[in-house]
C-alpha cells in the first residue's frame, strides 16, 4: 500500500508530495548513527564465547570448569547449567530493561543524540570494569553498566534511523541497526577465536574490546545531526527544516515539514505518553509493536543460539576451538541474511519476510529436535556427519531469522508509533525485548539440561504461534510514510474497530 494513496479525515495525506535524493550527508548520518547496533552485537557474540573459555571458568566458575573437564570428550546437555554463570549474561539485559524508561525521557525531551551519547559512556565504563574484573561482583557491575548502555542505544538508534529515512527506503535504512549488530556478533566471535589461545588473560581482552564500539558510538553521537522529527518536537523549527533539507537533498520539503509540525502539535497535547498507549485507539501499536513483536523476536530461540553457540557446540561434542569457529560461521550467516533483507524488504514487504521465514524456522527447529532425539545421548560422542548436519540446520535457521524476525523485530515497531507516543512506545519495545532476552539467557541452559532436545520443539511451537500472529494482525507497512502509518489501522479487518477516524487529536 503506497502512502500517497491514503486519505485521512482532515482532507488527505501529503506523502505523494515528498521529495528526496540520496546525499552523502544522509549516508554519513545513517552509517554513523547505526553504530549503536555494534554494542548490542558485540556483547551478544562475546558473552557466549567467554563463558566457554577454560581460563574464565577456572577463575570465576570453578564448579562449571570441573564439570566440563569430567565430560571433556563426551556430549552432555548439562555441562554449563549454572545459574550464576547465566546471570553473567542475563544481568545485562535486566539492566537494559530498567534503563530504557530513563532513556525514553531523555530521547523525547533531549533528543535521540543525547540517548546515544549516554549509552556509549555507560557501555564504555562497563567494558573497562569487566576487563579488569577480579571477582563475580565486578563482573556483574560491569554487565549492568553495559546493560544501561544497550538500553539507551536500542531505545534511540532504531528511532533515529527510521526518522532520518525517506519512506521508500526506510526498511533498508533501519536495518543498518541490525547489520551493525550482526557485524558486532561476527567480530566478537573472531575475537573469541583468537584470544582463546592467549593464556590466562585472553578473556579480558575479549571483554575489554567492547570499549571500541562504545568509543565509536560516542564520537558519532557528538558529530551526528539530530533528527528533524526530534528538533520539531523540541520547538527548534528553523534548525529542523535545515536538517531536513540537507538529508533530503532538496529545499522542496514543505509537505514533509508540515507533516512533522502537525505530528508535533498532536504530540504536545499528550502529557502522559505511556498512559496514552493504553487507550483504545492505540491498541494496535500496543499489542503489535510494544508487546507482541519484541517478545516473539526472542521466543524464536535465536538469541539462545547467539548467546551460547560455542557452549551448544561444545555440549554437542565439538572441541573448544571448533565450537568457536562454528559460532563464527553462524554469525557470518547472520550478516549475509541481513544484507538480503536490506536489499529486498522494501520490495517484497515485511509480511512476506515474516511468513516465509517463519516456515523455515519451524522446519529447522523440528529437524534439529528429531536429530538430537534419535542420534544424541548423554555420554556418547556425536557422529561427525550428524554434527555437520546440525551446524547446517542452525545456519539455515540463522539465515531465515536474519532476514525476518532479527531486523524486522526492530524495524516494524519503530514504524508503528505516532510521534506523540514514539519514545514511550520504543521504551516498551526495548523493555519487553530485554525482559524476554534476559529470561531466555537465564533459563536456556537449564532448559537445555532438563528438556534436552525438547527445547527445540518448544521453540518450534512458539514459532508457529508467532507466524499466525503476523498473518492475522500485521498490515503491510512498506513505503508508507512514518507519520501516516496510523491510517493503516482504519482499513484493517481486525484493527479498524479500534481505530475509527477522530475529528481531532487532543490526547483526551
Amino acid at each position: 500500500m503506497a502512502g500517497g494513496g491514503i486519505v485521512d479525515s482532515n482532507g488527505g495525506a501529503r506523502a505523494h508530495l515528498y521529495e528526496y535524493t540520496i546525499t552523502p550527508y544522509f549516508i554519513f548520518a545513517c552509517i554513523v548513527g547505526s553504530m549503536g547496533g555494534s554494542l548490542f552485537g558485540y556483547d551478544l557474540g562475546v558473552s557466549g564465547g567467554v563463558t566457554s573459555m577454560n581460563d574464565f571458568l577456572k577463575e570465576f566458575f570453578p564448579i562449571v570448569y570441573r564439570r566440563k573437564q569430567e565430560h571433556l570428550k563426551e556430549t552432555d546437555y548439562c555441562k554449563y547449567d549454572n545459574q550464576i554463570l547465566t546471570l553473567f549474561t542475563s544481568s545485562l539485559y535486566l539492566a537494559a530493561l530498567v534503563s530504557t524508561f530513563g532513556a525514553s525521557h531523555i530521547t523525547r525531551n533531549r533528543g535521540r543524540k543525547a540517548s546515544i551519547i549516554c549509552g556509549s559512556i555507560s557501555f564504555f565504563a562497563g567494558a573497562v570494569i569487566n576487563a579488569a574484573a577480579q571477582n563475580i561482583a565486578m563482573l556483574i557491575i560491569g554487565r549492568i553498566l553495559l546493560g544501561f548502555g544497550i538500553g539507551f542505544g536500542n531505545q534511540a538508534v532504531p528511532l533515529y534511523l527510521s526518522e532520518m529515512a525517506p519512506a521508500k527506503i526506510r526498511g533498508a535504512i533501519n536495518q543498518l541497526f541490525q547489520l551493525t549488530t550482526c557485524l558486532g556478533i561476527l567480530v566478537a566471535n573472531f575475537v573469541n577465536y583468537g584470544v582463546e589461545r592467549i593464556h590466562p588473560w585472553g578473556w579480558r581482552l575479549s571483554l575489554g574490546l567492547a570499549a571500541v564500539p562504545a568509543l565509536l558510538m560516542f564520537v558519532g553521537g557528538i558529530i551526528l545531526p539530530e533528527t528533524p522529527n526530534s528538533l520539531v518536537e523540541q520547538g527548534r523549527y528553523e534548525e529542523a527544516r535545515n536538517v531536513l533539507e540537507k538529508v533530503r537533498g532538496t529545499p522542496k520539503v514543505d509537505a514533509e515539514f508540515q507533516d512533522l509540525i502537525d505530528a508535533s502539535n498532536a504530540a504536545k497535547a499528550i502529557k502522559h505518553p505511556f498512559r496514552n498507549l493504553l487507550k483504545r485507539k492505540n491498541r494496535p501499536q500496543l499489542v503489535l509493536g510494544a508487546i507482541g513483536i519484541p517478545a516473539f523476536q526472542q521466543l524464536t530461540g535465536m538469541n539462545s543460539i547467539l548467546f551460547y553457540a560455542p557452549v551448544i557446540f561444545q555440549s554437542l561434542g565439538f572441541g573448544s576451538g571448533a565450537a568457536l569457529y562454528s559460532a563464527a560461521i553462524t554469525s557470518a550467516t547472520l550478516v549475509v541474511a541481513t544484507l538480503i533483507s536490506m536489499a529486498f524488504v522494501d520490495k517484497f514487504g515485511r509480511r512476506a519476510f515474516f511468513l516465509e521465514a517463519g516456515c523455515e524456522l519451524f522446519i529447522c527447529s523440528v529437524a534439529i529436535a528429531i536429530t538430537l532425539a534419535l542420534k544424541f545421548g548423554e555420554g556418547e560422542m556425536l557422529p561427525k556427519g550428524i554434527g555437520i548436519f546440525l551446524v547446517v540446520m542452525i545456519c539455515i535457521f540463522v539465515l531465515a531469522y536474519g532476514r525476518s524476525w532479527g531486523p524486522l523485530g526492530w524495524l516494524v515497531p519503530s514504524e508503528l508509533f505516532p510521534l506523540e507516543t514514539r519514545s514511550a512506545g520504543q521504551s516498551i519495545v526495548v523493555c519487553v525485548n530485554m525482559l524476554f532476552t534476559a529470561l531466555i539467557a537465564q533459563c536456556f541452559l537449564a532448559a537445555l539440561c532438563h528438556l534436552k532436545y525438547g527445547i527445540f520443539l518448544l521453540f518450534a511451537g512458539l514459532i508457529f504461534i508467532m507466524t499466525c500472529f503476523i498473518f492475522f494482525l500485521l498490515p503491510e507497512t512498506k513505503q508508507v510514510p512514518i507519520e501516516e502509518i496510523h491510517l493503516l489501522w482504519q482499513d484493517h479487518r481486525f484493527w479498524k474497530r479500534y481505530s475509527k477516524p477522530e475529528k481531532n487529536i487532543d490526547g483526551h
Side-chain angles (χ1 to χ4, degrees):
M1 181 183 293
I6 303 171
V7 178
D8 65 19
S9 59
N10 295 320
R14 287 181 281 249
H16 62 287
L17 300 175
Y18 291 8
E19 295 186 24
Y20 75 93
T21 59
I22 302 299
T23 65
Y25 184 81
F26 168 74
I27 294 172
F28 168 79
C30 291
I31 291 176
V32 176
S34 67
M35 286 294 176
S38 63
L39 305 187
F40 193 29
Y42 188 84
D43 182 80
L44 282 172
V46 82
S47 55
V50 167
T51 53
S52 71
M53 292 181 186
N54 288 335
D55 292 326
F56 177 81
L57 292 175
K58 281 191 287 186
E59 185 157 350
F60 296 103
F61 303 97
I63 294 176
V64 178
Y65 175 74
R66 287 195 296 271
R67 187 189 304 159
K68 178 181 174 182
Q69 296 307 303
E70 290 171 2
H71 299 275
L72 193 60
K73 295 185 178 180
E74 300 175 355
T75 54
D76 185 357
Y77 285 108
C78 299
K79 287 180 184 178
Y80 296 91
D81 180 19
N82 181 283
Q83 290 299 296
I84 302 299
L85 177 62
T86 52
L87 182 62
F88 168 74
T89 297
S90 64
S91 58
L92 180 147
Y93 303 100
L94 292 172
L97 184 158
V98 173
S99 69
T100 187
F101 293 103
S104 171
H105 177 79
I106 292 176
T107 300
R108 186 180 191 196
N109 295 287
R110 301 295 181 184
R112 287 47 167 160
K113 283 181 57 175
S115 280
I116 290 174
I117 292 171
C118 289
S120 65
I121 293 172
S122 180
F123 198 90
F124 184 90
V128 172
I129 291 174
N130 267 354
Q134 300 299 315
N135 50 54
I136 291 178
M138 285 186 71
L139 280 179
I140 300 301
I141 291 171
R143 295 290 291 174
I144 289 172
L145 288 172
L146 291 172
F148 287 159
I150 285 178
F152 275 84
N154 287 14
Q155 156 77 19
V157 172
L159 289 185
Y160 185 91
L161 295 174
S162 287
E163 291 180 347
M164 279 293 195
K168 290 186 178 180
I169 58 171
R170 187 175 61 245
I173 296 301
N174 184 274
Q175 289 188 43
L176 286 171
F177 176 76
Q178 178 71 7
L179 179 62
T180 57
T181 299
C182 297
L183 289 172
I185 295 169
L186 179 62
V187 170
N189 275 295
F190 280 113
V191 168
N192 284 338
Y193 186 72
V195 304
E196 189 198 21
R197 297 171 176 79
I198 304 175
H199 303 288
W201 52 270
W203 63 269
R204 294 187 185 275
L205 180 60
S206 194
L207 294 177
L209 285 175
V212 175
L215 185 60
L216 292 174
M217 184 174 166
F218 177 77
V219 173
I222 292 175
I223 62 179
L224 281 176
E226 185 58 87
T227 70
N229 310 60
S230 180
L231 291 170
V232 168
E233 199 172 18
Q234 297 172 53
R236 297 154 64 181
Y237 296 108
E238 184 176 350
E239 186 178 350
R241 185 178 179 100
N242 289 337
V243 172
L244 187 61
E245 290 179 0
K246 291 179 73 174
V247 296
R248 296 292 180 260
T250 175
K252 299 178 182 179
V253 296
D254 292 340
E256 186 171 3
F257 188 64
Q258 187 59 50
D259 278 348
L260 295 182
I261 292 175
D262 291 347
S264 177
N265 290 335
K268 288 177 181 177
I270 305 300
K271 303 301 181 184
H272 304 285
F274 284 99
R275 190 184 306 169
N276 189 265
L277 270 175
L278 299 177
K279 290 190 173 184
R280 180 180 175 85
K281 68 176 184 177
N282 291 323
R283 199 65 50 79
Q285 295 95 316
L286 179 67
V287 172
L288 278 168
I291 298 175
I293 291 176
F296 282 138
Q297 186 190 44
Q298 303 309 313
L299 294 176
T300 59
M302 180 61 209
N303 270 4
S304 301
I305 293 174
L306 293 180
F307 288 148
Y308 301 116
V311 171
I312 290 172
F313 288 129
Q314 282 195 16
S315 294
L316 297 181
F318 291 75
S320 179
L324 288 171
Y325 188 65
S326 298
I329 292 175
T330 59
S331 58
T333 303
L334 196 58
V335 173
V336 172
T338 304
L339 292 173
I340 293 173
S341 187
M342 290 177 67
F344 296 109
V345 73
D346 287 313
K347 179 179 180 181
F348 297 115
R350 285 60 159 153
R351 278 173 53 86
F353 273 67
F354 271 130
L355 298 176
E356 180 272 330
C359 296
E360 284 188 50
L361 293 171
F362 177 81
I363 292 170
C364 288
S365 296
V366 172
I368 292 170
I370 292 174
T371 302
L372 293 178
L374 295 176
K375 297 294 184 179
F376 183 60
E378 295 182 21
E380 298 178 9
M381 286 297 294
L382 196 68
K384 183 177 180 181
I386 298 300
I388 293 173
F389 174 77
L390 287 173
V391 172
V392 171
M393 283 293 99
I394 288 175
C395 284
I396 294 174
F397 184 99
V398 170
L399 192 64
Y401 173 89
R403 66 179 187 274
S404 61
W405 282 96
L408 301 184
W410 293 107
L411 166 62
V412 175
S414 74
E415 295 177 322
L416 295 184
F417 299 101
L419 185 61
E420 61 262 28
T421 58
R422 191 167 297 155
S423 60
Q426 185 67 12
S427 284
I428 302 297
V429 170
V430 177
C431 177
V432 171
N433 188 289
M434 292 301 146
L435 174 62
F436 279 85
T437 303
L439 289 174
I440 292 293
Q442 189 66 30
C443 299
F444 176 73
L445 291 180
L448 184 66
C449 177
H450 296 289
L451 297 180
K452 299 180 171 57
Y453 63 85
I455 187 66
F456 295 99
L457 291 177
L458 174 62
F459 285 133
L462 291 170
I463 290 165
F464 177 80
I465 292 171
M466 66 184 70
T467 302
C468 293
F469 176 84
I470 293 296
F471 180 80
F472 289 110
L473 297 181
L474 182 69
E476 183 53 68
T477 59
K478 69 173 182 178
Q479 299 187 8
V480 181
I482 195 169
E483 303 303 348
E484 295 181 11
I485 292 289
H486 68 282
L487 300 172
L488 294 175
W489 314 121
Q490 298 172 15
D491 297 322
H492 192 271
R493 59 190 175 190
F494 180 81
W495 293 121
K496 62 184 178 182
R497 72 190 71 177
Y498 297 99
S499 305
K500 294 179 180 179
E502 299 180 4
K503 293 182 180 180
N504 55 64
I505 303 174
D506 58 10
H508 300 286

